[in-house]
Amino acid sequence: MTEDYKGLSGSEVSQRVEAGKVNTTTNSISRTKKEIFRAHLCTFFNFLNVFLGALVLMTGQIKNLTFMFTIIANSVIGIIQELKVKSLVDKLSVITASKATVIRDGTKKQIPLDELVVDDVMVLESGDQIGADCVVLEAQGIEVNESMITGESVAVKKHEGDEMLSGSFLVAGSGVARVIHVGSENYATILAAKAKDKKRATSEMQDSIGRIIKIVGFLIVPVGILLFLSQRAIEGTTTSDAIVNTVAGVIGMIPEGLVLLTSVSFILGVGRLARKQALVQEMEAIEALARVNVLCLDKTGTITTGDLEVVEVVPCGTMSDEKIREVMNEITFAFNDVNPTQQALMNYFEKTQKWQTTDLIPFSSARKYRAIAFGEHGAYVLGAPEFIMKNDEELLKKSETYALQGYRVLLLAETDQISSADGTVGTPKPAALIVISDCVREEAPSTFAYFEAQHVAIKVISGDNPATVSQIAQKAGLKDGDKYIDASTLPESFDELKKVVKNYTVFGRVTPEQKQRLIKAYQANKSVVGMVGDGVNDVLALKDADCGIAMAAGSDAAKQVAHIVLLDSDFVHLKEIVSEGRMIISNIERVSSLYLTKTIYSLLLNVIFILLGRSYPFVPIHLTLISTVAIGIPSFILALEQTETVTQSGFLKHVLRVALPGALTMVLNMLLIQGISIVLGFDSGMTATYNLIVAGMVSLMVLMRVCNPMNKIRSILCNTMIVIFVACVILFPDLFSINSVFSWRMIFIAPLVIFTYYSMKYLSSIVHFLLRKHI
């Protein structure tokens, strides 16, 4: 077929590249260096902190500028880490980049999609992603799925002269096409939002943090103005003091460390997963993967090795053994598409090509068969027995016997006619059953045991016979692998489907559209669904899963829509990848409570002290000390811990269980200290001393709650932070604008410690009760 085409010459390609007629694409997850610097430096909170720093500088109180060092360190760390990960991810992206087969100078060669030029001649096979708009020059049963562009999943037949659009992919057949549009002129690029119609990986955590940032960003300016006006109105307060107090109130509201922690953790997660041979194509996929509790997968390449072999050919009609072999010799090598089943047939039968093909219907996952006509030598169909001979109970029973032993079974049947126009065949007459074996992976039982321990339900969704898949699943040690169903018997009603899917572990004879419906049914049942696939028949399910995972050795279409690509195409390594994802998200969940505690109590204290008309209880250097010992250093250490405990109750709900009681305890203590200072006539220095010590104590108690259950590392961390805080308060009172702690007026610290302990204990119980009942 391709011998008739010479394609472009090297000089013609060069001319088109110079003219800009090349298929440049921008679908990499990694940002450019310029974008990285801009993302970490040019942020709303960074600009706000610089403005606040300038105000403090104007007051001459230089020691209260220490918060700027944290901002600078945050940006530098973020830039360095993302640049390191970018280098790694860019190298791996080259490995998994989709390729196009083109003919240039009369020779077939593979090139990256972004090297296609106008007028390139592409050779296309089933499973290929169409990388640029093109027109069909020659078609052998081409059927194209355009769902990523039009939303319609029904395959469209293409003939000579028809256009095919980038973003679509071949589900059947093969052919040759000429590129007519590239880059920004592609239809899929023009309609980018629709062309990339895959479901974004879900990230409840990023969504929640994003909402918090929006709320804080909306409130911070008006609250800051009102706080300054209230501080300036206090008798005896200078403008400089009012500015410093206002800056303290405002910077306490900014969760800049949380933003950095989240982004850097995701970036580092992409890097760590890349080292484990997983290319993350959307950073949100790390969280989606960590929260997955239903994992759907195909049998081939996951439970089994994917290596197949024909073990027996069983006549089941009047056709002789010699005739069966003669027919199979011709059918096997008459189609261009190659998959594991086809390869097994090619290894068993011989290439003769004595007969002339007059019509053919390529295999598709929806049909479950292929058909071919050889003129006077007759027409034949090869595929799943239950799709070809639906009413032959004796034949189906015989086929089922092999299926129950874990074998795949193909039926060869004669027919009076076939029609490639509508994909139909005439009356089939069975000739032979072809029995194929599939080997179970040695590592499959341990992989399934891991997911069971992690409370992840495995669901096998396969196009093969359900009894065969069930038998193999049981051999591999899959829990409830004996609970199977033929997808053709599934209810059409989606409401009924949602109920039925709960009862089965193995689904057989599933069409691509049914795979997609099954994914949506589990999602409708409030499950976080992951989908592992490698074939063109998995694309619809991959793009709608909360986390789609494709094999690098799979089809281009599957890799394009997946959120994560396994570079070594080994399902066994998925447990390591899930473990890594869970560790990342678990650590972010834990330390987020530290940051949000400060944001909540700062916002509440701002409002309360505006209404009270009293001096804000902190100055910036107080918050620098508290943030360093109770948030900054601990969050860095805790974020590196090896733990996989991820909550299923929701990110915000989990974080508020710790942050809200801590913030309310802080507010109550600050109000109590105001009362004590008025009654006992404390000066501003002594009041500030109480404020700092009690605030530090509350923050360290929140840290200890975050560290529960304690282990050796967490115990050392907490004790070290307590020692550092106490040492700073005792040794450097002037630096932190407080009085010496060696004064009889400090005797009230003891009852405040007791009050803090019990108030946090009871507030935690109340908050837990309210969250459980109302959120």
Side-chain angles (χ1 to χ4, degrees), residues 195-330:
K196 299 299 181 185
D197 185 32
K198 71 176 177 182
K199 177 186 174 74
R200 297 289 296 181
T202 57
S203 178
E204 179 192 358
M205 180 175 65
Q206 283 200 321
D207 291 344
S208 299
I209 292 174
R211 287 197 296 271
I212 293 168
I213 298 301
K214 285 182 181 178
I215 294 170
V216 171
F218 177 77
L219 294 175
I220 204 164
V221 174
V223 168
I225 294 171
L226 291 173
L227 183 61
F228 172 75
L229 294 174
S230 71
Q231 298 299 292
R232 188 67 188 85
I234 298 172
E235 187 177 350
T237 301
T238 65
T239 300
S240 293
D241 289 337
I243 289 174
V244 171
N245 289 348
T246 302
V247 170
V250 172
I251 63 173
M253 290 173 60
I254 302 173
E256 74 284 337
L258 178 59
V259 177
L260 173 81
L261 174 77
T262 305
S263 60
V264 170
S265 293
F266 272 125
I267 292 165
L268 291 178
V270 170
R272 287 204 292 265
L273 289 173
R275 293 183 185 94
K276 292 182 180 292
Q277 297 299 296
L279 180 63
V280 178
Q281 302 194 117
E282 287 180 21
M283 280 198 256
E284 297 86 350
I286 295 175
E287 181 182 356
L289 181 63
R291 298 190 191 280
V292 160
N293 51 23
V294 171
L295 186 62
C296 300
L297 46 91
D298 199 349
K299 171 178 65 65
T300 306
T302 53
I303 303 177
T304 61
T305 62
D307 296 325
L308 308 178
E309 63 175 349
V310 177
V311 295
E312 191 178 3
V313 177
V314 183
C316 55
T318 58
M319 189 181 293
S320 67
D321 291 352
E322 292 76 13
K323 179 67 173 177
I324 292 171
R325 190 165 191 91
E326 186 180 19
V327 171
M328 286 304 302
N329 287 344
E330 294 294 333

Side-chain angles (χ1 to χ4, degrees), residues 72-314:
I72 295 169
N74 282 350
S75 298
V76 171
I77 291 171
I79 290 170
I80 292 173
Q81 294 289 7
E82 186 163 358
L83 286 174
K84 287 170 63 178
V85 172
K86 171 182 168 57
S87 176
L88 174 63
V89 171
D90 284 351
K91 290 177 183 177
L92 294 177
S93 296
V94 173
I95 300 172
T96 60
S98 294
K99 304 288 195 300
T101 301
V102 298
I103 301 174
R104 289 181 179 176
D105 292 315
T107 304
K108 279 203 301 184
K109 60 186 295 187
Q110 277 200 332
I111 62 171
L113 289 183
D114 58 7
E115 292 183 12
L116 282 171
V117 298
V118 172
D119 295 327
D120 251 329
V121 176
M122 293 191 296
V123 180
L124 300 169
E125 295 182 355
S126 179
D128 284 352
Q129 184 93 7
I130 299 172
D133 294 352
C134 56
V135 61
V136 179
L137 300 178
E138 187 174 339
Q140 187 182 71
I142 290 179
E143 295 181 25
V144 176
N145 185 305
E146 298 179 339
S147 63
M148 293 173 67
I149 299 172
T150 65
E152 294 293 331
S153 61
V154 178
V156 180
K157 291 188 71 65
K158 296 290 183 180
H159 305 91
E160 185 177 333
D162 290 344
E163 283 192 17
M164 295 190 293
L165 304 177
S166 61
S168 56
F169 54 92
L170 267 68
V171 294
S174 59
V176 180
R178 180 176 58 82
V179 174
I180 57 174
H181 296 140
V182 291
S184 60
E185 295 180 356
N186 279 321
Y187 182 79
T189 306
I190 296 170
L191 300 178
K194 202 171 184 180
K196 299 299 181 185
D197 185 32
K198 71 176 177 182
K199 177 186 174 74
R200 297 289 296 181
T202 57
S203 178
E204 179 192 358
M205 180 175 65
Q206 283 200 321
D207 291 344
S208 299
I209 292 174
R211 287 197 296 271
I212 293 168
I213 298 301
K214 285 182 181 178
I215 294 170
V216 171
F218 177 77
L219 294 175
I220 204 164
V221 174
V223 168
I225 294 171
L226 291 173
L227 183 61
F228 172 75
L229 294 174
S230 71
Q231 298 299 292
R232 188 67 188 85
I234 298 172
E235 187 177 350
T237 301
T238 65
T239 300
S240 293
D241 289 337
I243 289 174
V244 171
N245 289 348
T246 302
V247 170
V250 172
I251 63 173
M253 290 173 60
I254 302 173
E256 74 284 337
L258 178 59
V259 177
L260 173 81
L261 174 77
T262 305
S263 60
V264 170
S265 293
F266 272 125
I267 292 165
L268 291 178
V270 170
R272 287 204 292 265
L273 289 173
R275 293 183 185 94
K276 292 182 180 292
Q277 297 299 296
L279 180 63
V280 178
Q281 302 194 117
E282 287 180 21
M283 280 198 256
E284 297 86 350
I286 295 175
E287 181 182 356
L289 181 63
R291 298 190 191 280
V292 160
N293 51 23
V294 171
L295 186 62
C296 300
L297 46 91
D298 199 349
K299 171 178 65 65
T300 306
T302 53
I303 303 177
T304 61
T305 62
D307 296 325
L308 308 178
E309 63 175 349
V310 177
V311 295
E312 191 178 3
V313 177
V314 183

Side-chain angles (χ1 to χ4, degrees), residues 35 84 133 214 250 325 401 571 594 596 603 637 654 663 684:
E35 289 172 335
K84 287 170 63 178
D133 294 352
K214 285 182 181 178
V250 172
R325 190 165 191 91
T401 303
F571 167 71
L594 300 176
L596 290 185
L603 178 59
I637 294 172
H654 174 72
S684 59

